[in-house]
Amino acid sequence: MKPAAERVRSLLYYKSYELKEPFTWQDWYGLALKAADSHAEYGELMIKIDGSFYPADQLAWLIMTGEWPDHEIIHADGNKLNNSWDNIKEKVLSAKAA
């Protein structure tokens, strides 16, 4: 089961304007993401929360909107490691014309 927004916000601080390393652990938990807590997979950052890895772009979406994305997250600049808020959006599938 995916963690709720409140849980993720209690663990991670998301600097939405930051191009490099926008995520840090909340002060009570630690100051920086450790290598064991994150890794790049298929060109995107994954962050470990409660024993499971989640894509950083989805965590950014969750933190900012309070909801997990319904669709794939796309990056405006094509760089999946740039998880600044201005660079990510949901890829909404258009309905096929009848």
Side-chain angles (χ1 to χ4, degrees):
M1 178 177 229
K2 291 181 179 179
E6 296 80 25
R7 173 68 177 153
V8 174
R9 289 178 185 135
S10 77
L11 297 172
L12 285 175
Y13 177 67
Y14 173 59
K15 296 174 279 193
S16 60
Y17 55 86
E18 186 69 44
L19 299 181
K20 294 183 179 181
E21 302 179 16
F23 294 95
T24 56
W25 294 116
Q26 292 288 1
D27 288 340
W28 69 269
Y29 196 69
L31 296 177
L33 289 174
K34 300 178 284 293
D37 298 326
S38 66
H39 73 276
E41 181 175 292
Y42 305 111
E44 69 179 331
L45 180 65
M46 305 288 287
I47 299 175
K48 189 175 186 180
I49 295 179
D50 297 334
S52 296
F53 281 97
Y54 299 95
D57 54 10
Q58 290 185 16
L59 292 173
W61 190 271
L62 176 66
I63 289 168
M64 295 298 285
T65 68
E67 302 286 334
W68 285 94
D70 291 326
H71 305 285
E72 177 185 358
I73 297 292
I74 57 175
H75 298 77
D77 67 1
N79 180 358
K80 291 184 178 183
L81 295 175
N82 177 358
N83 292 302
S84 62
W85 184 243
D86 290 341
N87 194 52
I88 63 173
K89 63 180 180 176
E90 267 192 305
K91 180 180 182 180
V92 179
L93 304 174
S94 60
K96 292 183 180 180

